[in-house]
Amino acid sequence: MAVRRLTGQTVLGGAIVLLGLLLLVNTTGVADTSALLVYVPSLFVLVGVYALVRSRFHNLFGPVLVVVVAGAAQVVALGWVAADDLVALWPLLVVLFGVSVLAGRMRARATASDDAYVDAFALFGGVDRRATGDTFTGATLTAVFGGTELDLRDVRLAERPARVSATALFGGAEVVVPRDWRVEVDVVPLFGVAEDERPRRADEHETVDLVLTGFTAFGGVSVSD
C-alpha cells in the first residue's frame, strides 16, 4: 500500500488544531499554557518551510512570506526585537515579491521551448495561457488582485507528474486539465480556498498526472476541466 504524504493543508490544519487546544486548555483553567503560546508563531514558520520544500522551491513568495511574518512575530514575542524596529523593514516584502517574479521568468527561459514551462503573472488584471504538445513540464502562476488561467487540455505529458506552482493573493488561479487527469492539490490556504472542482470519476487511474502546489491568501486556487 502506498504511503500518503503529508500535504501543506494537513500541516496547516494540524498547527491550527494544536493552537486551538493550547488556547482551550488555557481559557478553561485546566493548565497555564502561556509559556507554550509564546512559541505559536514557530508553528507557522514550520508550515511555510514545509510548503516551500513541498513545491521544490518553485513557489517562493507565499511560503517565504509566511516564514518571514511568522518569524518576525516569534522574535517579537520572545522580546528579542521591538515590533517598531521590524515595521521599518516591511519594504523587504516587496523585494521578496520581485525576486519571486524574476525566479519564475528565469525558469521559463531556461526551458528548451516556450511550451515546456509556462510563467503567468497577473497584477490588477487577468492573464490566460494555454500549453500544447508534449513538451510541457510545469508552470508558475501568480495572481495579485487579479486572475490567471492555465489551459492544459491540449497537453500530452511525456513525463508524469508535471508540476504547477500557484500563488494567489486577493485573486485567483485556475488550472484547466483533461477530465481523466489525476491531480494532486497541495496548496496552503490562509483565508482562502484550494480545491479540485471536477466531479470524481470511478475510473481515475493511480498515476498522478499533475501536482499543484502553492499558496493562497484571501483568494483561491482551483482545478477544473
Side-chain angles (χ1 to χ4, degrees):
M1 180 182 295
V3 178
R4 295 181 64 87
R5 291 174 295 183
L6 287 175
T7 66
Q9 294 184 34
T10 301
V11 175
L12 175 61
I16 294 175
V17 168
L18 180 57
L19 171 59
L21 290 174
L22 289 174
L23 290 171
L24 180 63
V25 170
N26 193 61
T27 57
T28 55
V30 174
D32 183 5
T33 59
S34 300
L36 294 177
L37 288 171
V38 172
Y39 296 95
V40 164
S42 293
L43 291 176
F44 294 93
V45 171
L46 294 176
V47 171
V49 170
Y50 182 84
L52 188 64
V53 174
R54 187 73 175 89
S55 71
R56 297 187 177 183
F57 299 93
H58 285 181
N59 185 282
L60 294 177
F61 181 67
V64 174
L65 176 64
V66 173
V67 171
V68 170
V69 173
Q74 183 64 82
V75 297
V76 169
L78 293 174
W80 295 349
V81 180
D84 291 342
D85 295 335
L86 291 180
V87 170
L89 300 177
W90 72 263
L92 288 176
L93 298 178
V94 180
V95 175
L96 172 62
F97 182 59
V99 170
S100 176
V101 173
L102 291 175
R105 293 301 304 164
M106 291 175 62
R107 284 193 294 269
R109 291 180 179 180
T111 55
S113 68
D114 292 338
D115 288 333
Y117 199 94
V118 176
D119 177 53
F121 173 74
L123 178 64
F124 295 102
V127 174
D128 296 338
R129 297 291 300 274
R130 171 175 290 183
T132 60
D134 56 4
T135 61
F136 178 79
T137 59
T140 297
L141 310 179
T142 305
V144 181
F145 294 99
T148 60
E149 179 181 301
L150 175 63
D151 190 340
L152 301 178
R153 288 176 294 183
D154 295 325
V155 166
R156 298 182 301 277
L157 296 177
E159 296 184 4
R160 289 177 170 80
R163 293 183 174 272
V164 173
S165 177
T167 297
L169 304 177
F170 298 94
E174 180 179 3
V175 182
V176 185
V177 301
R179 182 162 296 181
D180 61 344
W181 273 22
R182 180 177 176 182
V183 180
E184 182 179 302
V185 179
D186 190 6
V187 177
V188 177
L190 290 177
F191 302 103
V193 62
E195 61 181 343
D196 189 340
E197 298 177 342
R198 300 173 300 159
R200 294 185 179 275
R201 296 174 57 87
D203 58 345
E204 185 179 53
H205 51 86
E206 294 183 359
T207 303
V208 176
D209 299 287
L210 178 70
V211 175
L212 176 61
T213 60
F215 172 85
T216 179
F218 300 98
V221 176
S222 63
V223 178
S224 67
D225 57 11

